[in-house]
Amino acid sequence: AEIAVVGLQASGKTSFVNVIGSGQWSEDVVPTVAFNYRKVRKGAVTFKIWDVAGQPKFRSMWERYCHGMDAIVFIVDSADHDKFDTARFELHQLLSQPGLTGVPLLVLGNKNDIPDHASVKDLIRELELDKIQNRPVSCYSCSMKSRHNLDIVLRWLTERSH
Ligand SMILES: Nc1nc2c(ncn2[C@@H]2O[C@H](COP(=O)(O)OP(=O)(O)OP(=O)(O)O)[C@@H](O)[C@H]2O)c(=O)[nH]1
Ligand SMILES: [Mg+2]
């Protein structure tokens, strides 16, 4: 399966790929420039993952990487409430691109090890996930640090592979 991982800077995209790829979580991750590509084997499934940079100057590239993917993973720092407006704007902007119609979306509320993180219910409201049409949408709360819910995330991704 081919997957694009997008979301604002410092939400934990590279951490996600590192943790599912090699089990390695770190406090110090270098901000991604442009993108990283990584192949990750999980049992019978090989994931080809495009980990795209989240800083503002790279966001116009997201669409290109999401094109033709089996799934888009949009990662949010669920403890950074001040960024929800920007995350919502960028997510809906991306999904409004005609070329991305139908591509399944997985929204991850990362960093749920931090107190006062937003719940799935909060994220559905803040990111207006109930307004998204023309594609399957799922949202989970998770943590790359504690690995909470990584099992269901991998199951979701596996179900979208062929
Ligand atoms: N507490 C906590 N920190 C996390 C978690 N996941 C990632 N981080 C930290 O968040 C920071 C940013 O992580 P990255 O994985 O580099 O974020 P990114 O989304 O790839 O950022 P860009 O490449 O700039 O778009 C790092 O200091 C990570 O250690 C988590 O689940 N919990
Ligand atoms: Mg990164």
Side-chain angles (χ1 to χ4, degrees):
E2 265 196 288
I3 295 160
V5 184
V6 295
L8 304 186
Q9 70 272 29
S11 53
K13 300 178 294 296
T14 302
S15 301
F16 168 66
V17 180
N18 287 344
V19 168
I20 66 166
S22 53
Q24 255 167 24
W25 188 82
S26 166
E27 295 274 354
D28 301 309
V29 188
V30 180
T32 305
V33 174
F35 71 96
N36 303 308
Y37 172 75
R38 185 156 174 176
K39 260 187 181 176
V40 174
R41 270 242 319 260
K42 288 285 164 195
V45 184
T46 300
F47 295 108
K48 296 174 178 174
I49 307 178
W50 302 90
D51 163 21
V52 190
Q55 289 173 40
K57 63 181 169 199
F58 298 117
R59 291 178 196 161
S60 60
M61 302 169 48
W62 291 359
E63 184 201 353
R64 213 178 313 151
Y65 288 97
C66 290
H67 209 96
M69 291 292 120
D70 297 303
I72 297 169
V73 178
F74 187 91
I75 304 193
V76 188
D77 179 342
S78 63
D80 194 352
H81 296 250
D82 293 344
K83 299 264 176 65
F84 291 165
D85 283 349
T86 308
R88 179 184 62 237
F89 175 84
E90 295 293 352
L91 174 64
H92 286 269
Q93 170 86 8
L94 177 71
L95 298 181
S96 71
Q97 306 300 318
L100 301 183
T101 305
V103 182
L105 172 72
L106 176 61
V107 176
L108 297 182
N110 187 31
K111 310 198 188 183
N112 78 4
D113 56 284
I114 298 176
D116 297 327
H117 65 270
S119 66
V120 165
K121 203 175 151 211
D122 298 333
L123 290 171
I124 290 171
R125 194 187 59 243
E126 296 284 357
L127 302 181
E128 297 182 350
L129 300 184
D130 49 351
K131 289 194 181 160
I132 298 171
Q133 288 169 342
N134 306 320
R135 73 187 75 245
V137 183
S138 299
C139 180
Y140 300 131
S141 175
C142 65
S143 167
M144 299 314 142
K145 186 176 182 179
S146 72
R147 307 182 61 96
H148 181 242
N149 272 348
L150 276 180
D151 49 349
I152 61 170
V153 170
L154 281 170
R155 201 175 314 140
W156 190 96
L157 291 173
T158 304
E159 282 164 5
R160 256 114 220 122
S161 355
H162 46 254

